[in-house]
Amino acid sequence: MAAEPVNEPIQLRPDQQPFHEGEMTLLEHLRELRTRVLICAVAVVLGMLLCVVFWETIVGWLIAPARAEIPDFRLTVFSPTETIALMFKIGMYGGLMLASPVVLYEILAFIVPGLTPRERKLVLPGIIGVVGFLIAGMAFAYWIILPASLGFLLNFGGDNFDQKIGVKQYFDFAIRIIFWVGVSFELPMVLTLLAKLRVVRAKQLLGFWRYAIVIIFIVAAIVTPTPDPLTQSLVAGPLLGLYVLGIGLAWVVQPKRPKPEAAP
């Protein structure tokens, strides 16, 4: 008769001490998870309410690049409920973006007990980096990419067309550019995380540069809806710079390979 396996507790490495005093039971982990999910939900709801209150101001900000090209630019409403739907869409996207630092912190705080003390020190800089690159990407999209795209599209065809642009179509277009350019600016943080997890090394990323250029231009073509190469290059150029920055960050955070032991 085979002996029953004995469930022994998992031993942590010497540098991987638990975050809380003592060991947490499964029920305690579930309670902590519930609390953190609740905090994330409250942050998202508060962010949504704030954006809903100021939704007309946000609409003005999003229309401003188009009015810089056409001073009397106005949007067309095709449904009685279209403006209400726009208000909730702005609230949803805006709430998620405003709450993203809190959500990211709660996710990392839940994972932190399993990290080493050295890895815990990287949590706060990681959060700052993710939020900073997201804001930088969205600002770049709003001030550079969106005006360039609208300048090409709104003036294309000259006076031969009387453009009637719907509310939904315009804001889907603007939000898509701002959101995805912001996300694409997270490239250095993604490369840093992959290097930290030992998935890639800085030397491998450096040798991958030819393929990276092709992939970056494909991503730029997807993010920017205009067919002109100038707008695509405006996105691809910074991404190439961010790729180089990501290689540098990967080199800093990647675990050092152990030195081979000398032969006796």
mmCIF file of all heavy atoms in Angstrom, residues 43-53 88 90-96 98:
data_model
loop_
_atom_site.group_PDB
_atom_site.id
_atom_site.type_symbol
_atom_site.label_atom_id
_atom_site.label_comp_id
_atom_site.label_asym_id
_atom_site.label_seq_id
_atom_site.Cartn_x
_atom_site.Cartn_y
_atom_site.Cartn_z
ATOM 1 N N ALA A 43 -12.444 53.638 -6.500
ATOM 2 C CA ALA A 43 -11.609 54.595 -7.233
ATOM 3 C C ALA A 43 -12.135 54.808 -8.644
ATOM 4 O O ALA A 43 -12.187 55.945 -9.143
ATOM 5 C CB ALA A 43 -10.158 54.112 -7.265
ATOM 6 N N VAL A 44 -12.532 53.718 -9.316
ATOM 7 C CA VAL A 44 -13.061 53.839 -10.678
ATOM 8 C C VAL A 44 -14.372 54.622 -10.676
ATOM 9 O O VAL A 44 -14.585 55.502 -11.529
ATOM 10 C CB VAL A 44 -13.264 52.444 -11.297
ATOM 11 C CG1 VAL A 44 -14.009 52.556 -12.630
ATOM 12 C CG2 VAL A 44 -11.925 51.754 -11.508
ATOM 13 N N VAL A 45 -15.260 54.337 -9.727
ATOM 14 C CA VAL A 45 -16.545 55.038 -9.667
ATOM 15 C C VAL A 45 -16.342 56.526 -9.397
ATOM 16 O O VAL A 45 -16.988 57.380 -10.029
ATOM 17 C CB VAL A 45 -17.448 54.405 -8.584
ATOM 18 C CG1 VAL A 45 -18.687 55.263 -8.337
ATOM 19 C CG2 VAL A 45 -17.870 53.001 -9.000
ATOM 20 N N LEU A 46 -15.434 56.857 -8.470
ATOM 21 C CA LEU A 46 -15.165 58.270 -8.185
ATOM 22 C C LEU A 46 -14.580 58.971 -9.415
ATOM 23 O O LEU A 46 -14.942 60.110 -9.721
ATOM 24 C CB LEU A 46 -14.207 58.396 -7.000
ATOM 25 C CG LEU A 46 -14.761 57.991 -5.634
ATOM 26 C CD1 LEU A 46 -13.682 58.097 -4.557
ATOM 27 C CD2 LEU A 46 -15.971 58.861 -5.248
ATOM 28 N N GLY A 47 -13.679 58.298 -10.116
ATOM 29 C CA GLY A 47 -13.120 58.874 -11.339
ATOM 30 C C GLY A 47 -14.184 59.074 -12.402
ATOM 31 O O GLY A 47 -14.201 60.098 -13.096
ATOM 32 N N MET A 48 -15.101 58.119 -12.538
ATOM 33 C CA MET A 48 -16.192 58.245 -13.504
ATOM 34 C C MET A 48 -17.105 59.409 -13.164
ATOM 35 O O MET A 48 -17.498 60.187 -14.042
ATOM 36 C CB MET A 48 -16.987 56.945 -13.566
ATOM 37 C CG MET A 48 -16.240 55.772 -14.181
ATOM 38 S SD MET A 48 -17.205 54.236 -14.164
ATOM 39 C CE MET A 48 -18.583 54.709 -15.223
ATOM 40 N N LEU A 49 -17.439 59.537 -11.876
ATOM 41 C CA LEU A 49 -18.315 60.645 -11.460
ATOM 42 C C LEU A 49 -17.659 61.992 -11.745
ATOM 43 O O LEU A 49 -18.326 62.934 -12.203
ATOM 44 C CB LEU A 49 -18.641 60.515 -9.963
ATOM 45 C CG LEU A 49 -19.558 59.359 -9.568
ATOM 46 C CD1 LEU A 49 -19.715 59.299 -8.053
ATOM 47 C CD2 LEU A 49 -20.933 59.497 -10.239
ATOM 48 N N LEU A 50 -16.366 62.093 -11.485
ATOM 49 C CA LEU A 50 -15.665 63.345 -11.745
ATOM 50 C C LEU A 50 -15.688 63.681 -13.233
ATOM 51 O O LEU A 50 -15.916 64.833 -13.618
ATOM 52 C CB LEU A 50 -14.225 63.228 -11.241
ATOM 53 C CG LEU A 50 -13.352 64.482 -11.380
ATOM 54 C CD1 LEU A 50 -13.923 65.617 -10.529
ATOM 55 C CD2 LEU A 50 -11.917 64.187 -10.965
ATOM 56 N N CYS A 51 -15.471 62.675 -14.083
ATOM 57 C CA CYS A 51 -15.470 62.918 -15.530
ATOM 58 C C CYS A 51 -16.872 63.226 -16.046
ATOM 59 O O CYS A 51 -17.032 64.024 -16.976
ATOM 60 C CB CYS A 51 -14.895 61.712 -16.267
ATOM 61 S SG CYS A 51 -13.126 61.469 -16.002
ATOM 62 N N VAL A 52 -17.885 62.604 -15.455
ATOM 63 C CA VAL A 52 -19.259 62.882 -15.872
ATOM 64 C C VAL A 52 -19.642 64.318 -15.515
ATOM 65 O O VAL A 52 -20.317 65.014 -16.286
ATOM 66 C CB VAL A 52 -20.229 61.869 -15.227
ATOM 67 C CG1 VAL A 52 -21.680 62.327 -15.368
ATOM 68 C CG2 VAL A 52 -20.066 60.501 -15.870
ATOM 69 N N VAL A 53 -19.211 64.781 -14.338
ATOM 70 C CA VAL A 53 -19.521 66.156 -13.925
ATOM 71 C C VAL A 53 -18.907 67.162 -14.898
ATOM 72 O O VAL A 53 -19.549 68.164 -15.258
ATOM 73 C CB VAL A 53 -19.014 66.404 -12.488
ATOM 74 C CG1 VAL A 53 -19.109 67.888 -12.133
ATOM 75 C CG2 VAL A 53 -19.823 65.584 -11.495
ATOM 76 N N PHE A 88 -21.507 59.047 -20.943
ATOM 77 C CA PHE A 88 -21.136 57.852 -20.196
ATOM 78 C C PHE A 88 -19.831 57.241 -20.721
ATOM 79 O O PHE A 88 -19.041 56.688 -19.948
ATOM 80 C CB PHE A 88 -22.262 56.823 -20.257
ATOM 81 C CG PHE A 88 -23.417 57.139 -19.340
ATOM 82 C CD1 PHE A 88 -24.612 57.598 -19.848
ATOM 83 C CD2 PHE A 88 -23.297 57.001 -17.971
ATOM 84 C CE1 PHE A 88 -25.674 57.906 -19.014
ATOM 85 C CE2 PHE A 88 -24.345 57.299 -17.111
ATOM 86 C CZ PHE A 88 -25.542 57.757 -17.638
ATOM 87 N N ILE A 90 -17.301 58.939 -22.012
ATOM 88 C CA ILE A 90 -16.227 59.774 -21.453
ATOM 89 C C ILE A 90 -16.018 59.454 -19.983
ATOM 90 O O ILE A 90 -14.886 59.378 -19.497
ATOM 91 C CB ILE A 90 -16.559 61.267 -21.666
ATOM 92 C CG1 ILE A 90 -16.418 61.624 -23.152
ATOM 93 C CG2 ILE A 90 -15.639 62.152 -20.820
ATOM 94 C CD1 ILE A 90 -16.815 63.040 -23.479
ATOM 95 N N GLY A 91 -17.121 59.260 -19.263
ATOM 96 C CA GLY A 91 -17.006 58.907 -17.851
ATOM 97 C C GLY A 91 -16.299 57.580 -17.648
ATOM 98 O O GLY A 91 -15.455 57.449 -16.755
ATOM 99 N N MET A 92 -16.603 56.587 -18.501
ATOM 100 C CA MET A 92 -15.997 55.267 -18.355
ATOM 101 C C MET A 92 -14.498 55.316 -18.640
ATOM 102 O O MET A 92 -13.684 54.870 -17.816
ATOM 103 C CB MET A 92 -16.672 54.281 -19.296
ATOM 104 C CG MET A 92 -16.111 52.867 -19.212
ATOM 105 S SD MET A 92 -16.897 51.737 -20.377
ATOM 106 C CE MET A 92 -16.346 52.453 -21.949
ATOM 107 N N TYR A 93 -14.120 55.855 -19.806
ATOM 108 C CA TYR A 93 -12.705 55.914 -20.153
ATOM 109 C C TYR A 93 -11.933 56.819 -19.187
ATOM 110 O O TYR A 93 -10.835 56.484 -18.741
ATOM 111 C CB TYR A 93 -12.531 56.414 -21.589
ATOM 112 C CG TYR A 93 -12.761 55.355 -22.633
ATOM 113 C CD1 TYR A 93 -13.953 55.281 -23.337
ATOM 114 C CD2 TYR A 93 -11.775 54.424 -22.935
ATOM 115 C CE1 TYR A 93 -14.173 54.310 -24.302
ATOM 116 C CE2 TYR A 93 -11.969 53.450 -23.899
ATOM 117 C CZ TYR A 93 -13.175 53.401 -24.579
ATOM 118 O OH TYR A 93 -13.377 52.431 -25.520
ATOM 119 N N GLY A 94 -12.515 57.978 -18.900
ATOM 120 C CA GLY A 94 -11.841 58.900 -17.988
ATOM 121 C C GLY A 94 -11.701 58.331 -16.594
ATOM 122 O O GLY A 94 -10.653 58.492 -15.944
ATOM 123 N N GLY A 95 -12.740 57.652 -16.114
ATOM 124 C CA GLY A 95 -12.677 57.059 -14.787
ATOM 125 C C GLY A 95 -11.605 55.984 -14.686
ATOM 126 O O GLY A 95 -10.875 55.909 -13.684
ATOM 127 N N LEU A 96 -11.500 55.163 -15.718
ATOM 128 C CA LEU A 96 -10.475 54.122 -15.719
ATOM 129 C C LEU A 96 -9.075 54.730 -15.729
ATOM 130 O O LEU A 96 -8.165 54.238 -15.043
ATOM 131 C CB LEU A 96 -10.662 53.207 -16.925
ATOM 132 C CG LEU A 96 -11.878 52.273 -16.884
ATOM 133 C CD1 LEU A 96 -12.042 51.551 -18.205
ATOM 134 C CD2 LEU A 96 -11.751 51.269 -15.744
ATOM 135 N N LEU A 98 -8.181 57.794 -14.654
ATOM 136 C CA LEU A 98 -7.899 58.463 -13.387
ATOM 137 C C LEU A 98 -7.634 57.474 -12.261
ATOM 138 O O LEU A 98 -6.826 57.732 -11.371
ATOM 139 C CB LEU A 98 -9.073 59.367 -13.013
ATOM 140 C CG LEU A 98 -9.278 60.632 -13.866
ATOM 141 C CD1 LEU A 98 -10.509 61.392 -13.400
ATOM 142 C CD2 LEU A 98 -8.057 61.535 -13.805
#
